Amino acid sequence: MPTVEAGPSFHIETLGCRVNQYDEEMLRREFLRRGFSEVAFEEAADVYVINTCTVTQVADKKSRQLIRRALRANPQGRVIATGCAVGNKHALSRIPERVIQVSNREKERLLDVVRAELPPHHAVDEAPGSAAQARARALLKVQDGCNQFCTFCIVPFVRGRARSKAPEAVLAEARELVAAGYREIVVTGVHVGSYGRDLGDEEWSLGRLLLVLAERSGAARVRLSSIEPADFPREILPRLSDGICRHLHLALQHASDRVLERMRRGYTIAQYDAIVEEYLARYPEGALTADILVGFPGEDEADFSVLCEYLERRPFAHLHVFPYSTRPGTAAARYPEQPPAHVLNARMDAVLAIAKRKSRAFRERFVGSTVEVLVEECNGSVARGTTDNYLTVEIAGAATVGALVQVHLAAVSEDGLIGSPRKNV
């Protein structure tokens, strides 16, 4: 039999948010569909795609490091930089010219760019039937871009204005993911709460979209990713036990109204807490998670005390804690009173300590209970998965990826819980 020559190889590395992770999955499927084979970073890929992030200076640095690592891994390979750092003129200014830069707006034609750059003997045709292996949980990007322009954030400048995907396209993509074997759909976007405002149809909003996906996509679970407090669709609150996960990631950033105003966040802590109060009253076992930005310019000891007091008062299941990082081109970069490094580090340590303690306290509440876990990976005799209220569970014994398993929780671990299976459903 004639041998079939293997197609060119590729590797994708992604930094940053769930929107970037969604874009990575879309690119991976397209590479595989066109006959490429996926390899590890160290295997000298013909094409490297570095899906960059520019949300902080640390993200810029990591993006540049990955690009240089790809250049070293295969000096004859093609290195494509895409993602948000490409739209930030400060982030990749010292990257070698042979790195091809593809903006977020051009990301959909990235495969065409790759195809044009490959040598003739590497030209590839579409390969029907090549598909990424199905997983338990899939990201579904319903919106891109942002109109909010928080004073610390560069994202609106690199992602562009808010743009919503048509609801029929969202539902069709969700059904395709379910047909491919995914059980949970995570609805995400850059400013997902603005969904529908640009569609010219007042009937469509994020709340309605979530309800439609829960009722008509066929997914066992629909999970909402991070949402801005000013945009939270309260109409979904009664439905969080009926197809929509009992997990609320409500972006906080700070609890001082003075700092929130300087950040241009568009809400007060009282407005934020009103949502939290209603959510916790309906779902005492729900997972409340948030983003926290420490050391914003002008944050004084009184502001920081307000933040810590609020974090102590509410049962946060998890906190994403970030130090403030100056972003050239943003309003906050021009603010005076940038906190000195030793103050920033001390405040970061204090909030991280609160976050660690609150997370463990939340998990300890569930020891001895039985919960439903969506199995996301299995490594021999140990499986791992997630509950609808965002508990990460290690399951003793083999399990099928994508299965919903009843698990008795016996103990907490470093970052989750440990349990044993009861039955599959």
Side-chain angles (χ1 to χ4, degrees):
M1 295 179 63
T3 58
V4 179
E5 184 178 352
S9 58
F10 76 98
H11 182 84
I12 304 174
E13 284 286 326
T14 291
L15 295 169
C17 65
R18 281 181 167 175
V19 173
N20 253 15
Q21 294 167 23
Y22 169 89
D23 290 344
E24 175 188 343
E25 284 301 311
M26 296 300 101
L27 289 172
R28 174 175 288 108
R29 292 175 193 170
E30 188 66 10
F31 269 108
L32 293 169
R33 187 177 69 82
R34 296 204 187 190
F36 286 74
S37 58
E38 187 171 14
V39 298
F41 208 128
E42 297 75 16
E43 293 183 46
D46 295 308
V47 178
Y48 287 94
V49 177
I50 310 301
N51 199 11
T52 63
C53 176
T54 191
V55 71
T56 64
Q57 291 183 16
V58 172
D60 286 346
K61 182 179 179 180
K62 289 181 178 179
S63 296
R64 293 191 294 268
Q65 289 173 337
L66 283 172
I67 291 169
R68 294 191 178 104
R69 182 182 167 197
L71 290 168
R72 293 192 300 269
N74 184 5
Q76 284 73 49
R78 300 295 188 268
V79 179
I80 316 289
T82 189
C84 290
V86 171
N88 181 356
K89 64 181 180 180
H90 304 283
L92 303 183
S93 58
R94 299 189 300 276
I95 290 300
E97 289 186 3
R98 79 178 183 90
V99 176
I100 303 162
Q101 298 191 32
V102 178
S103 70
N104 280 320
R105 290 295 189 100
E106 299 174 309
K107 196 176 279 186
E108 291 183 357
R109 54 178 290 271
L110 187 144
L111 266 292
D112 295 327
V113 173
V114 169
R115 199 165 184 163
E117 287 292 326
L118 287 175
H121 69 279
H122 267 164
V124 293
D125 295 317
E126 293 189 5
S130 295
Q133 183 178 0
R135 300 176 182 174
R137 177 192 294 178
L139 295 170
L140 177 54
K141 184 174 74 173
V142 304
Q143 178 275 340
D144 206 338
C146 181
N147 299 344
Q148 187 159 320
F149 291 92
C150 297
T151 57
F152 57 83
C153 186
I154 196 69
V155 170
F157 299 97
V158 296
R159 281 278 180 180
R161 305 292 283 183
R163 309 174 300 282
S164 302
K165 188 180 293 184
E168 58 270 19
V170 173
L171 183 58
E173 185 173 347
R175 286 172 168 167
E176 289 175 3
L177 291 168
V178 172
Y182 292 94
R183 305 296 301 274
E184 179 178 305
I185 303 296
V186 182
V187 176
T188 191
V190 173
H191 187 189
V192 71
S194 70
Y195 180 84
R197 294 175 190 168
D198 57 321
L199 293 177
D201 185 346
E202 293 183 0
E203 292 188 5
W204 279 105
S205 65
L206 177 63
R208 182 182 177 194
L209 183 71
L210 290 169
L211 294 174
V212 166
L213 288 173
E215 293 169 356
R216 297 166 52 189
S217 70
R221 295 177 181 171
V222 174
R223 188 182 299 274
L224 174 61
S225 64
S226 179
I227 182 80
E228 297 292 314
D231 303 314
F232 180 71
R234 292 199 177 195
E235 64 267 31
I236 72 169
L237 277 174
R239 298 292 303 276
L240 294 188
S241 58
D242 183 22
I244 302 176
C245 292
R246 298 171 300 161
H247 171 206
L248 177 59
H249 187 89
L250 197 62
L252 175 57
Q253 307 303 351
H254 215 280
S256 164
D257 285 338
R258 192 179 75 88
V259 175
L260 289 172
E261 184 176 3
R262 286 170 65 83
M263 289 178 170
R264 201 185 294 150
R265 292 293 291 161
Y267 55 85
T268 65
I269 189 59
Q271 291 169 330
Y272 181 96
D273 199 51
I275 300 171
V276 170
E277 181 74 28
E278 183 178 357
Y279 168 71
L280 293 175
R282 286 181 177 272
Y283 306 102
E285 295 185 346
L288 173 65
T289 62
D291 303 312
I292 305 297
L293 185 57
V294 176
F296 190 75
E299 177 193 73
D300 60 21
E301 287 295 339
D303 296 319
F304 185 66
S305 294
V306 168
L307 172 62
C308 292
E309 288 168 5
Y310 184 73
L311 297 181
E312 293 282 13
R313 184 158 61 88
R314 288 303 188 186
F316 287 96
H318 184 74
L319 296 171
H320 297 275
V321 186
F322 303 93
Y324 171 72
S325 175
T326 303
R327 295 282 71 198
T330 63
R334 301 187 295 273
Y335 287 176
E337 302 173 292
Q338 307 277 344
H342 71 280
V343 172
L344 178 59
N345 292 337
R347 291 178 182 174
M348 277 291 296
D349 289 344
V351 176
L352 287 170
I354 293 173
K356 183 176 181 179
R357 182 162 32 83
K358 302 291 281 190
S359 173
R360 186 175 183 89
F362 178 76
R363 287 178 280 127
E364 285 177 342
R365 290 167 47 190
F366 296 91
V367 173
S369 64
T370 297
V371 296
E372 184 177 85
V373 178
L374 175 62
V375 179
E376 297 177 47
E377 60 179 287
C378 186
N379 183 13
S381 60
V382 178
R384 296 180 187 275
T386 309
T387 64
D388 83 307
N389 63 337
Y390 206 55
L391 296 169
T392 300
V393 179
E394 181 179 296
I395 309 166
T400 304
V401 172
L404 288 165
V405 180
Q406 296 294 320
V407 178
H408 178 75
L409 301 177
V412 296
S413 62
E414 182 65 25
D415 58 359
L417 292 112
I418 300 170
S420 55
R422 293 300 193 212
K423 63 178 181 179
N424 288 359
V425 295

